[in-house]
């Protein structure tokens, strides 16, 4: 069951990111003239998108911990910040400092780490592409 949730989690994060980047392309002005703020806009929009991914992960962790697998993280979280923290360190692939996820919940947290790595790389490529197009217009 958790493997299915982990796979669906990766698919949801990838889909949200895809449609978020499509929306970013529509929000950002076309690369015309000397508008050097376009790459900064791409950075800000992708950072907001990553924040959304972290929030989705935190909501999933709350649901799993509170409803489906109580005690599934091996520690008891005291408030929503703990869930956001777990989601952020998993998404950014930083690693765990304060606690260690045990048991089958490792599948979901590992899936978020894998998706986070792919999404961060995807975002870096997007920002690079936007920046390169802007720099081409300066030549």
């Amino acid at each position: 069951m958790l493997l299915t949730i982990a796979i669906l989690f990766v698919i949801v994060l990838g889909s949200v990111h895809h449609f978020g980047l499509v929306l970013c392309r529509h929000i950002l002005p076309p690369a015309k003239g000397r508008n050097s703020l376009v790459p900064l806009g791409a950075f800000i929009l992708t950072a907001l998108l990553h924040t959304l991914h972290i929030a989705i992960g935190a909501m999933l962790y709350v649901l799993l911990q509170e409803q489906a697998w109580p005690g599934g993280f091996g520690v008891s979280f005291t408030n929503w910040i703990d869930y956001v923290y777990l989601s952020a360190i998993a998404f950014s692939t930083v690693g765990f400092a304060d606690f260690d996820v045990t048991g089958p919940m490792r599948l979901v947290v590992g899936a978020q780490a894998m998706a986070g790595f792919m999404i961060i790389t995807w975002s870096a490529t997007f920002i690079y592409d936007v920046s390169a197009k802007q720099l081409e217009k300066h030549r």
Side-chain angles (χ1 to χ4, degrees), residues 29-60:
K32 293 190 248 182
R34 299 184 67 90
N35 189 354
S36 61
L37 294 178
V38 172
L40 178 61
F43 174 81
I44 291 169
L45 291 172
T46 54
L48 291 172
L49 195 52
H50 290 196
T51 303
L52 175 62
H53 296 314
I54 290 168
I56 292 169
M59 287 186 285
L60 176 63

Side-chain angles (χ1 to χ4, degrees), residues 1 9 14 16 24 27 40 44-45 53-54 57 76 81 92 100 113 117 123-124:
M1 177 72 166
F9 187 29
V16 167
C24 288
I27 292 172
L40 178 61
I44 291 169
L45 291 172
H53 296 314
I54 290 168
S76 61
I81 294 173
S92 64
D100 208 11
F117 176 76
S123 293

Side-chain angles (χ1 to χ4, degrees), residues 107-119:
L107 289 171
V108 179
V109 175
Q112 186 182 18
M114 180 189 69
F117 176 76
M118 294 168 61
I119 287 169

Side-chain angles (χ1 to χ4, degrees), residues 58-87:
M59 287 186 285
L60 176 63
Y61 295 152
V62 167
L63 287 172
L64 291 176
Q65 176 83 350
E66 303 294 326
Q67 304 297 324
W69 281 275
F73 290 117
V75 296
S76 61
F77 291 160
T78 56
N79 57 40
W80 63 271
I81 294 173
D82 293 333
Y83 294 103
V84 172
Y85 176 72
L86 171 63
S87 183

